Amino acid sequence: MRKRSVYIFLLFLSIIYTAFSVNAEEQTRQIELSLQDCISLALKSNLSISIQRINPQIQDSLLLMTKGRYDPSLNFGVNTSHSEGASQTFSSSQLDNQKSNAQSYGFGITDPVITGGEYEISLNSSRSKSDSNVHPAYRSGTVFSINQPLMEGFGINLNRAPISIAKNNKDISLLRLKSQLIGNLSDVQDIYWELIFDIENLKVQESSLKQAQDLLNLNLKLKENYKANMSDVLQAQSAVASREADVLIAKDAIKDSEDELKRITNIIQDDSQWEMTIIPLDSPSFEEVQANLQDSIKTAIEKRPEYKQAKLNVENSDLTVMMAKNQKLPIMDLDGSLSLNGLGDDFGEPFSQVGKAENKSWTAGIALLMPLGGKTDKGNLKRSQLEKEQDLLALKDQEQQIISEVRSAVRQIDTGKKRILATTKAEEFAKQVLATEEKKYALGLSTSYNLLQFQSNLATATRNRIRTAIDYRKSIVNLYKSQGITLEELNINLGE
């Protein structure tokens, strides 16, 4: 991972250096990029990928928040009070002015448990002094209390469900990131190969234009010698004009592909860099790829992040339905407490009594709350069940979509190989036909129309051969994308 990061950083610096280390008066700057360069740049700088990388961190924070519901809490309190007023004693009918002071403190720990309840352990101590008592009174006590739902809110699986959903959501965010990476890096490869096609197509169109210009020059000379007529000249001029338009269209296509590649790799640092010319370093060499349909479908079902995401959605729906069913139950809580108390004339005496458990008390009880009607809980359960049904249908639809995409991708591979052979032969035949027609034209046995037509046929055949080679490379990209193995084929770890 560190080596890849260093490589990407150095590559990024080299691109910036290349972009700006040109002559200030030079109008068109150039940058050479391999396919691997573009992939590395997209990994580092593509904005869509950068946005998606944040989502797993957000879900990780939400998971931490969900786990926090089971964190214990510490409570502490201090209190002081003073009172005074008239008071009558048993030994006297007179009203005496009595004063009393009290101080107390307490602290405890409350800890939720995975069954849905919670327990608390607390320690309390107080000191009170009044005019009627010579010595202050000290009281201390330890209380252990527990609350446990018995119906709604009860169960380990039930109370772990929010954590399980949060974990699944984090996994879903990682799968979405993987899907984004696969999509973007597949697009990078497609755009790169499309740029190569556009560059090669421009060469074809320029060659076809030159053929028409050569024929026009030849016909002008022949016309001067009365060996060609005005129709031959006009036909050549028309072909020149038409092919000049084709060259302009081809140049525009190159600029469009360059802009797409600059955007998806995010190499633009200022507006002037939009004018950079990209020189691809790779060529669409033939790579034999064997694709077995059943093996490819099996791999896609195992690897496609969209399918894994759909399965996790179903799992979350199951958990949501389980929680909704539990919410329909009556609320029945078990409450209990045990107190150990002590009383004395000094601070330490009550604690010694607590330790001996000489003064103790306990309580236990059950509280029941049964809502009447329960429309809210019924509606919530129905909604959860319908959402689960949606997720199940979405899972099945995703499976069928994956199978359809894989079948198409495998067919493209098989068809692509045959197309390469066919278009290569077609180009060779078009070259032979044009060469023959040129010889006939030189002997006056053919016409400008026929010669121009065969020139156009050769340009089309050459263009088709290049198109087929590029399409085959793109079909390989599409095959890996449909199987969900793009990152593995590019040796990219999701953690990078």
Side-chain angles (χ1 to χ4, degrees):
M1 177 177 175
R2 181 174 297 177
K3 290 182 178 179
R4 177 179 288 276
S5 299
V6 172
Y7 169 76
I8 294 174
F9 179 71
L10 293 176
L11 172 64
F12 189 76
L13 289 180
S14 67
I15 290 173
I16 300 301
Y17 176 78
T18 303
F20 287 98
S21 61
V22 292
N23 193 297
E25 298 178 355
E26 188 177 359
Q27 296 297 318
T28 303
R29 291 175 292 182
Q30 295 183 347
I31 179 172
E32 296 182 344
L33 288 176
S34 67
L35 179 57
Q36 185 58 50
D37 292 338
C38 294
I39 291 171
S40 299
L41 285 168
L43 276 175
K44 177 180 175 62
S45 305
N46 180 267
L47 295 178
S48 298
I49 294 176
S50 298
I51 292 170
Q52 200 63 242
R53 283 186 192 275
I54 299 174
N55 286 333
Q57 300 175 46
I58 295 174
Q59 293 300 325
D60 198 41
S61 300
L62 294 175
L63 174 59
L64 186 63
M65 292 170 57
T66 305
K67 290 180 177 179
R69 64 184 294 186
Y70 294 105
D71 289 343
S73 59
L74 177 66
N75 57 79
F76 177 79
V78 178
N79 185 53
T80 182
S81 64
H82 171 79
S83 65
E84 59 179 273
S87 176
Q88 184 178 14
T89 64
F90 288 105
S91 59
S92 174
S93 60
Q94 295 181 350
L95 295 176
D96 297 329
N97 189 42
Q98 296 288 330
K99 296 180 181 181
S100 64
N101 295 282
Q103 298 83 35
S104 65
Y105 72 90
F107 66 90
I109 295 177
T110 303
D111 191 10
V113 292
I114 197 63
T115 56
E118 66 177 21
Y119 69 88
E120 180 179 5
I121 300 175
S122 61
L123 176 63
N124 304 294
S125 182
S126 66
R127 175 187 181 278
S128 61
K129 177 71 170 63
S130 66
D131 292 343
S132 60
N133 295 323
V134 178
H135 300 289
Y138 293 88
R139 297 176 183 273
S140 298
T142 299
V143 180
F144 174 80
S145 61
I146 185 171
N147 172 271
Q148 175 59 57
L150 300 179
M151 299 187 74
E152 181 183 336
F154 173 77
I156 295 177
N157 291 336
L158 176 73
N159 286 280
R160 287 188 61 87
I163 296 177
S164 298
I165 291 175
K167 287 181 178 178
N168 287 343
N169 287 339
K170 179 183 177 182
D171 291 339
I172 287 172
S173 67
L174 289 171
L175 291 170
R176 286 175 177 168
L177 172 59
K178 183 176 182 180
S179 181
Q180 183 77 49
L181 285 169
I182 289 175
N184 279 76
L185 296 184
S186 297
D187 290 344
V188 168
Q189 296 175 81
D190 286 345
I191 294 170
Y192 187 87
W193 293 123
E194 197 63 29
L195 174 59
I196 291 177
F197 169 77
D198 292 333
I199 292 173
E200 294 301 317
N201 179 57
L202 175 60
K203 295 177 182 178
V204 172
Q205 301 304 330
E206 288 176 337
S207 176
S208 180
L209 173 61
K210 184 176 185 307
Q211 289 175 334
Q213 290 172 334
D214 290 343
L215 180 61
L216 175 60
N217 294 332
L218 177 61
N219 285 346
L220 289 172
K221 292 180 180 179
L222 292 175
K223 183 175 179 300
E224 291 176 357
N225 298 324
Y226 304 100
K227 294 182 179 181
N229 56 39
M230 193 61 188
S231 176
D232 294 324
V233 174
L234 291 174
Q235 288 175 5
Q237 287 176 333
S238 176
V240 168
S242 176
R243 293 177 190 183
E244 284 177 343
D246 291 339
V247 168
L248 293 175
I249 293 173
K251 288 181 177 179
D252 281 347
I254 291 175
K255 292 300 180 182
D256 290 342
S257 294
E258 285 180 341
D259 286 349
E260 278 296 297
L261 196 57
K262 292 169 187 175
R263 180 195 62 80
I264 201 167
T265 55
N266 196 30
I267 63 174
I268 301 301
Q269 300 301 309
D270 61 67
D271 290 343
S272 66
Q273 289 181 284
W274 284 107
E275 303 304 321
M276 285 192 304
T277 299
I278 296 178
I279 308 299
L281 298 179
D282 291 87
S283 59
S285 57
F286 181 77
E287 176 185 343
E288 181 73 21
V289 174
Q290 300 295 334
N292 179 274
L293 179 58
Q294 296 305 318
D295 290 343
S296 297
I297 291 175
K298 181 180 178 182
T299 299
I301 296 298
E302 292 175 354
K303 298 285 189 178
R304 282 285 289 267
E306 299 91 340
Y307 188 73
K308 292 181 179 180
Q309 179 182 333
K311 290 177 68 176
L312 287 174
N313 285 335
V314 172
E315 186 176 329
N316 280 350
S317 295
D318 286 334
L319 294 171
T320 303
V321 170
M322 177 186 68
M323 291 189 293
K325 287 181 177 179
N326 181 265
Q327 288 176 353
K328 288 188 64 182
L329 298 175
I331 300 174
M332 179 182 289
D333 291 350
L334 171 65
D335 293 297
S337 66
L338 173 64
S339 300
L340 303 177
N341 304 305
L343 176 64
D345 295 331
D346 59 60
F347 181 77
E349 186 177 353
F351 288 103
S352 64
Q353 295 176 16
V354 170
K356 296 175 183 179
E358 294 177 347
N359 302 307
K360 57 181 178 291
S361 63
W362 60 268
T363 62
I366 293 178
L368 176 64
L369 174 62
M370 185 177 294
L372 300 178
K375 295 182 178 64
T376 300
D377 294 334
K378 290 178 182 178
N380 185 43
L381 175 59
K382 184 64 175 178
R383 177 182 59 82
S384 301
Q385 291 171 333
L386 291 173
E387 288 176 348
K388 177 183 176 181
E389 184 178 351
Q390 277 185 326
D391 289 334
L392 286 170
L393 292 172
L395 176 63
K396 185 62 178 177
D397 181 64
Q398 185 66 63
E399 180 180 346
Q400 293 179 351
Q401 182 177 341
I402 288 173
I403 293 173
S404 175
E405 291 175 359
V406 171
R407 290 176 62 86
S408 176
V410 171
R411 282 196 300 269
Q412 288 177 13
I413 292 292
D414 294 337
T415 304
K417 297 174 185 178
K418 297 174 183 178
R419 285 179 62 202
I420 289 175
L421 293 176
T423 54
T424 300
K425 290 181 180 179
E427 183 185 25
E428 288 299 323
F429 291 145
K431 288 179 180 178
Q432 295 174 17
V433 170
L434 178 60
T436 300
E437 200 65 22
E438 287 175 340
K439 292 178 181 179
K440 290 172 62 178
Y441 189 80
L443 296 174
L445 301 177
S446 184
T447 64
S448 294
Y449 177 83
N450 289 340
L451 189 57
L452 290 169
Q453 185 62 48
F454 289 128
Q455 288 177 355
S456 179
N457 290 347
L458 175 58
T460 300
T462 302
R463 186 177 187 274
N464 289 342
R465 191 257 307 162
I466 298 170
R467 176 78 272 171
T468 301
I470 295 297
D471 285 349
Y472 182 72
R473 295 298 308 189
K474 293 170 70 174
S475 69
I476 296 175
V477 173
N478 186 51
L479 176 66
Y480 294 154
K481 179 182 179 181
S482 69
Q483 292 177 317
I485 59 174
T486 299
L487 302 185
E488 289 88 338
E489 291 297 324
L490 295 176
N491 295 317
I492 294 173
N493 188 306
L494 187 57
E496 298 181 88

